[in-house]
Amino acid sequence: MNYANFPVEKRTPLPASSAANAEDFIDIERLLGMAARQAKVVAACAVIGLFLGVLYLQTTPPTYVATSSVLIDEGLNKVVDDISAASVSMQTDSAVLSQIEILQSARLAGVVVDKLKLDQNDAFMNPPTSALSKVAGFVRGIIQSVRPKRAASTTDVTQLDAATRDAITASSSPRDYAIFKLQNQLDAERIGRSFVISISFQATDPALATAITKAYADAYLADQLDASFDATERAAVWLQGRLTELRESSQAAALAVEKFRAEHGLAVNDGQLISDKQLSDLNTQLIVAQADTARAGARYQQYKSIVESGSDNAFKDAAISNDQPSSSVITTLKNRYLTVAKRQQDVEANFGPQHPQAVALAKEKADISAQIFGELKQLTESYRNEYEVALARETALRANVALAAGKSSIDNQSQVKLRELEQKATALSTLYQTFLNRYEEAAQQQSFPVGKIRVISDATMPQSAATPRTAIVLGLSLALGIMMGAGVGGLNEFRERFFRTGEDVRDRVGLRFLGYLPVIGKAGKDDQRDDGQPDVKAAETRTAKSSKSQSSKTLSAAEKRARMRVTVDAPASMFSETLRNAKIAFDVVMEGQGSRVIGVISVLPGEGKSTVAANLAGLLAANGSKTLLIDGDLRNPGLSRSLGMEAEQGLMEAVVSGRTWQSVGKIDRQTKLAIIPAVLRGHFSHTSELLSSAGMRRFIDNAKETFEYIIVDLPPLGPVVDAKAFAPLVDGFVLVAEWGRTPRAMVQSVLSSEPYIAKKIVGAVLNKVELKKLAKYGSIGGSERFFDKYSSYYLEKSEARTKAAA
């Protein structure tokens, strides 16, 4: 270890309390270390959990579960549903849940209780209970006795929760309690997404559990049949009363239709009203008359225009020939006229127009033309008459259509009311027929009751207990025990506020760590080696139990002196090596000084600073250095008492009277260590003034002329100020902190408030270290995990030196 870069005047600043915790990730190594440290706590809690699990198994009576399965099967009553008036479809989850509620109903539970007489069955009413249940019931009874009582009726039994199921008083009837108990212990649940419901019951008697499960399945099946029969019967009774009303209403509606038709003359022919029939016929005739009038009028106007154009033009009009038949007079005259005209043309062509025959033919042609014109006049008059007749007929038909349309409109308005009456009569007739059919179906279904439930798995006698399950109980107890141990261990780790490793010293308070000082045990016969020296390894690995047992008893004077001479009696021990490391530290830091004054301090009393001071001084003296050990704790001179020094005069007398160390000092014959004891004088309270006085400075200066090292055992920093008063005379301090006892925060607080002392502290040692436990606090690969090997190395080296010397 290189201390050259750490002068006394330049100390590492004290870190903040949260500096060591400034980590943003989970330290797995730290967690493993915590688990290793708390392994015994977890193991103890696990054993306790297993013990409680075994105790629970021994005090809990076994219970048996019988199970039966029922299927909600629509196919069983498909034939009935085809004719049923009240078909129900079981296609929804809510329908299955409704069936489960029926199974858990108080009515069905009452049927089972009455069938099996469960209210008189002591095995059902008062089954054996576990010790845990008795304790819980006792605690619940105490709580209920403190709470205000409220009135409860039997109707509230089914509403009680599991926490008060045993709180039903004697005022309730045994049957009500049996129903309540049966409801709470029955388990009915749907299996997956199917229509199968599992019914199970748990009891301490397997036969009773089987009987109750079977009775429940039978009661549920009977309840479904009874429900179907009752529903059908109620429907038939209701339908019968309803049929009478519907029949009377249907008849009354039919009579009202006929009466209204007769009152309004709404006779029907071929499904059509007579007025509508007449109107239709008149409209047809009117259309024909209109066509005849138009045709007659057109023909009359045509002939009239021909006559008005003259005889010559009338003969030439082609419409005359097309309109008249071939046998008519006009056609005959027209043919004669054409024949005469042709002969006239021939004669005139041969003999000239003055020929008598030509003149006669011309006269004949004129006569024929006059005859044709006369015939045309007669036809024109005849066509005029026909036109007037057709027009008169059309006018008459129009008047008749108007009259018929008025009557038809009145009939149509009446027919609206008639249709309403007919619809009402038809609806009542249809409803009556439907109810009549349903009534007949319900009457038939009463003699054919089929339920929708069937048992697909009947309850059988359980061969083994369902609870308690040994493996599960023990596994759960072990898991809970481990969890409880983890919680207790975590609490212990959370409460850890003390120094455990050198890293705590360096990181928490910013001091050099000088090493671990193991617990010093009692060196008896078993601790002696063959060479007669104390067994150092046994002293180093003394457990905390032996340390606490010794601290609880008063040690003898020899035992106290042995504690002060560990480095002398066991120079190869780890205790000695740690103090050698401390010597090297202040030798390097105080290099160049002739005589060195080392103060040994602690924060709290009882941390072993006196033991450390005595052993450090003994180590220096044993190595040949001139060393003076001063007991500077004038209020409680524990060093002097432990060394067994009964002196009349000590440090106080020497300082007050101005004498040198030779007048009060004692010399150890083996190591030549000079010791200045302290003598307690009443209630002297001005020790700090004495330690900071000029006399004390003269005393120390005088001692420096003789000794290389002056080790001063000073009072604790916390309760008194003596160490602060003596600090100007000290070249360096060694801080002693007890392993697992000195609070880190307190050390940090004291050093922060005493910066002058903090600057002079060379380093800190952890005293009373339990080496077996220390390995659990060290990091993986840290030196704390290998101290056993170091101890073996020290012993082997020491034994080799002893043999060489021999």
Side-chain angles (χ1 to χ4, degrees), residues 42-334:
V42 176
C45 292
V47 171
I48 293 174
L50 283 176
F51 173 75
L52 294 177
V54 172
L55 183 64
Y56 175 78
L57 291 173
Q58 295 296 325
T59 57
T60 302
T63 57
Y64 301 86
V65 176
T67 304
S68 179
S69 300
V70 296
L71 172 65
I72 305 174
D73 192 354
E74 289 288 326
L76 290 178
N77 60 347
K78 185 176 181 181
V79 176
V80 178
D81 284 345
D82 290 341
I83 63 173
S84 175
S87 176
V88 179
S89 177
M90 303 293 295
Q91 299 298 325
T92 60
D93 293 342
S94 58
V96 180
L97 295 177
S98 299
Q99 295 300 316
I100 293 177
E101 291 299 323
I102 292 174
L103 275 168
Q104 295 176 339
S105 63
R107 183 174 60 83
L108 205 60
V111 173
V112 176
V113 168
D114 295 338
K115 180 179 180 180
L116 299 180
K117 294 182 172 46
L118 295 178
D119 54 339
Q120 303 175 12
N121 191 330
D122 188 65
F124 175 78
M125 298 293 288
N126 300 299
T129 58
S130 63
L132 182 62
S133 299
K134 293 179 180 178
V135 172
F138 177 75
V139 173
R140 187 163 52 246
I142 294 177
I143 295 174
Q144 290 177 351
S145 64
V146 175
R147 292 180 178 178
K149 296 182 179 179
R150 63 172 186 176
S153 62
T154 57
T155 57
D156 295 328
V157 172
T158 58
Q159 304 298 327
L160 296 176
D161 55 11
T164 56
R165 66 177 57 179
D166 295 330
I168 299 179
T169 60
S171 60
S172 300
S173 66
R175 183 177 182 274
D176 292 337
Y177 179 74
I179 292 173
F180 166 77
K181 188 177 181 64
L182 189 61
Q183 280 184 274
N184 282 276
Q185 294 183 359
L186 180 73
D187 186 13
E189 60 181 5
R190 183 182 185 182
I191 300 178
R193 302 292 298 174
S194 65
F195 290 118
V196 178
I197 299 176
S198 175
I199 305 172
S200 58
F201 187 81
Q202 180 174 327
T204 55
D205 185 2
L208 179 62
T210 305
I212 290 176
T213 305
K214 287 183 177 179
Y216 244 108
D218 295 340
Y220 180 50
L221 183 60
D223 180 76
Q224 292 293 317
L225 294 175
D226 293 342
S228 177
F229 180 81
D230 293 342
T232 305
E233 185 178 13
R234 287 194 297 270
V237 172
W238 181 81
L239 287 171
Q240 187 176 12
R242 186 65 177 147
L243 280 173
T244 302
E245 297 177 5
L246 289 174
R247 182 172 59 250
E248 294 175 354
S249 300
S250 178
Q251 291 175 356
L255 291 175
V257 169
E258 297 301 328
K259 182 178 180 181
F260 185 84
R261 181 180 285 118
E263 289 177 353
H264 293 79
L266 300 176
V268 178
N269 184 14
D270 296 333
Q272 188 177 12
L273 291 175
I274 294 177
S275 58
D276 291 342
K277 181 75 171 174
Q278 291 175 352
L279 179 60
S280 177
D281 293 342
L282 289 174
N283 284 326
T284 303
Q285 293 176 17
L286 177 60
I287 292 171
V288 174
Q290 289 175 345
D292 293 343
T293 301
R295 185 170 55 252
R299 187 166 52 188
Y300 166 69
Q301 292 297 331
Q302 181 182 15
Y303 277 84
K304 181 180 179 182
S305 62
I306 293 173
V307 172
E308 290 177 352
S309 64
S311 59
D312 293 337
N313 293 329
F315 174 77
K316 296 177 181 180
D317 198 327
I320 299 174
S321 299
N322 296 331
D323 187 59
Q324 296 298 316
S326 59
S327 60
S328 65
V329 176
I330 293 177
T331 302
T332 302
L333 291 175
K334 190 174 183 179

Side-chain angles (χ1 to χ4, degrees), residues 339-637:
T339 302
V340 172
K342 184 177 180 182
R343 289 176 61 192
Q344 182 184 1
Q345 289 178 357
D346 290 340
V347 172
E348 288 180 353
N350 292 325
F351 302 104
Q354 299 302 324
H355 190 276
Q357 189 175 0
V359 174
L361 290 172
K363 183 178 179 182
E364 183 178 2
K365 185 174 70 170
D367 293 337
I368 295 172
S369 178
Q371 292 178 4
I372 292 173
F373 188 73
E375 288 294 332
L376 285 176
K377 288 183 177 180
Q378 291 179 0
L379 285 174
T380 300
E381 190 65 24
S382 175
Y383 287 152
R384 185 180 66 82
N385 293 333
E386 290 180 4
Y387 169 70
E388 291 177 354
V389 171
L391 183 62
R393 183 171 177 271
E394 178 185 353
T395 303
L397 286 174
R398 285 183 182 278
N400 292 334
V401 166
L403 293 175
K407 188 174 185 306
S408 177
S409 177
I410 295 173
D411 291 345
N412 286 335
Q413 294 178 3
S414 301
Q415 194 174 12
V416 173
K417 180 64 175 178
L418 178 64
R419 287 196 197 98
E420 180 181 354
L421 295 175
E422 288 177 343
Q423 290 174 355
K424 181 177 179 181
T426 302
L428 289 174
S429 177
T430 303
L431 186 60
Y432 172 74
Q433 188 64 37
T434 301
F435 271 72
L436 182 61
N437 293 336
R438 290 186 177 182
Y439 173 74
E440 295 296 334
E441 292 168 0
Q444 294 296 325
Q445 191 176 0
Q446 287 183 355
S447 60
F448 188 56
V450 177
K452 298 179 181 180
I453 307 300
R454 65 186 178 97
V455 179
I456 61 174
S457 177
D458 204 357
T460 58
M461 183 77 69
Q463 300 299 320
S464 60
T467 58
R469 296 182 180 180
T470 303
I472 295 178
V473 170
L474 293 181
L476 184 60
S477 300
L478 179 62
L480 292 177
I482 293 175
M483 292 174 61
M484 181 178 67
V488 175
L491 181 61
N492 291 339
E493 291 293 331
F494 178 76
R495 294 173 57 193
E496 181 61 56
R497 297 292 186 271
F498 312 108
F499 290 104
R500 293 292 184 178
T501 63
E503 293 181 358
D504 294 339
V505 176
R506 289 188 292 267
D507 297 339
R508 303 287 181 170
V509 295
L511 298 177
R512 296 185 200 87
F513 178 61
L514 302 179
Y516 299 100
L517 297 176
V519 175
I520 301 176
K522 180 179 179 181
K525 294 182 179 180
D526 296 336
D527 298 329
Q528 299 294 325
R529 301 204 313 265
D530 294 339
D531 57 359
Q533 295 298 325
D535 192 341
V536 181
K537 187 175 183 180
E540 292 177 351
T541 58
R542 186 68 57 187
T543 61
K545 182 177 179 180
S546 64
S547 176
K548 292 180 181 179
S549 64
Q550 288 184 13
S551 63
S552 63
K553 300 178 181 179
T554 303
L555 297 177
S556 64
E559 291 172 343
K560 292 180 179 179
R561 287 193 297 271
R563 286 176 177 269
M564 301 296 175
R565 297 177 58 85
V566 173
T567 55
V568 177
D569 297 335
S573 65
M574 181 180 174
F575 196 97
S576 301
E577 288 296 325
T578 300
L579 294 182
R580 286 191 184 94
N581 188 47
K583 174 185 177 299
I584 294 173
F586 54 71
D587 281 347
V588 173
V589 172
M590 305 172 192
E591 185 179 3
Q593 296 184 14
S595 180
R596 299 156 187 174
V597 180
I598 308 300
V600 181
I601 57 175
S602 66
V603 174
L604 297 175
E607 295 187 88
K609 61 175 181 55
S610 298
T611 303
V612 173
N615 280 279
L616 177 61
L619 176 68
L620 295 173
N623 289 339
S625 300
K626 293 181 180 180
T627 306
L628 175 64
L629 175 62
I630 300 176
D631 187 355
D633 192 351
L634 301 179
R635 303 190 186 191
N636 184 20

Side-chain angles (χ1 to χ4, degrees), residues 739-759:
W739 186 82
R741 181 175 176 270
T742 304
R744 297 190 296 257
M746 186 174 183
V747 174
Q748 185 180 19
S749 175
V750 171
L751 296 183
S752 298
S753 61
E754 303 293 343
Y756 182 74
I757 294 178
K759 290 181 180 180

